[in-house]
Amino acid sequence: MKIVQDDLTDPNVIALVRAHLLELAGHSPEESCHALDLDALRGPGMTFWSVWEGDTIAGCGALKALDDTHGEIKSMRTAGTHLRRGVAAKLLDHIIHEARTRGFERLSLETGPHDLFAPARSLYARFGFETCPPFGPYREDPYSVFMTRALDGPEDYNAPSKSSCRQAS
């Protein structure tokens, strides 16, 4: 598998992002859906990656700079053809490494509370993310679970994180 920084112009990438948005829209009311569309994923402070196996799209994800020390994971998605093949773990490892390289001290994310999102929450927990209060522009919402981790912890993501669950702003 190969991870590449992406400009979101490839039809396969566009289709994956659109499928992601369509599925998420079915699980939350519009005011509680925080998934980003293509224009937002191309916006300032955003870096988007796609994961490829040969010529086949395997997944995608993005890193949004909230400020100089805090980043947010956005639009993590594994293509249906590549579920349970390590795509999300490989991409999450890449995003965490990139966040560290950029000098971020904290990395956070918002995901859903439904069973559909249980594998994602489990993956994030395995990488040291812990539930936390809303951060940045988010507010308490029954359709959201917020998670965060400090980036001063060990590189071994299967080990418990040294992060504290404090509100990050």
Side-chain angles (χ1 to χ4, degrees):
M1 278 186 276
K2 174 177 69 168
I3 298 173
V4 296
Q5 191 167 328
D6 199 294
D7 63 4
L8 292 122
T9 58
D10 185 290
N12 297 299
V13 174
I14 291 170
L16 182 61
V17 171
R18 286 187 174 151
H20 178 66
L21 291 170
L22 186 61
E23 182 175 12
L24 295 180
H27 293 279
S28 302
E30 187 176 337
E31 65 274 7
S32 296
C33 191
H34 304 290
L36 300 178
D37 65 17
L38 291 165
D39 288 336
L41 289 169
R42 292 181 185 118
M46 189 74 64
T47 305
F48 184 88
W49 293 276
S50 55
V51 183
W52 297 85
E53 186 169 60
D55 293 336
T56 304
I57 185 77
C60 65
L63 175 60
K64 178 181 181 180
L66 297 176
D67 61 37
D68 290 342
T69 63
H70 190 188
E72 180 182 5
I73 296 171
K74 297 296 293 183
S75 299
M76 284 280 293
R77 180 67 174 206
T78 300
T81 56
H82 286 75
L83 293 173
R84 289 171 287 291
R85 292 178 53 191
V87 173
K90 183 175 177 116
L91 182 56
L92 184 55
D93 183 58
H94 178 84
I95 292 172
I96 290 170
H97 177 76
E98 183 65 27
R100 285 179 193 268
T101 300
R102 294 180 186 190
F104 289 153
E105 297 170 4
R106 178 159 298 280
L107 195 53
S108 301
L109 62 98
E110 180 272 339
T111 190
H114 311 299
D115 289 345
L116 171 73
F117 301 98
R121 291 190 311 269
S122 178
L123 173 72
Y124 296 132
R126 218 172 60 234
F127 276 70
F129 286 83
E130 300 172 340
T131 57
C132 67
F135 59 91
Y138 296 107
R139 300 294 170 253
E140 286 292 340
D141 186 324
Y143 292 93
S144 291
V145 172
F146 304 99
M147 300 181 82
T148 194
R149 74 159 282 159
L151 295 179
D152 60 352
E155 289 287 337
D156 176 6
Y157 301 117
N158 292 318
S161 169
K162 295 193 304 186
S163 68
S164 61
C165 190
R166 63 174 171 80
Q167 184 162 353
S169 53

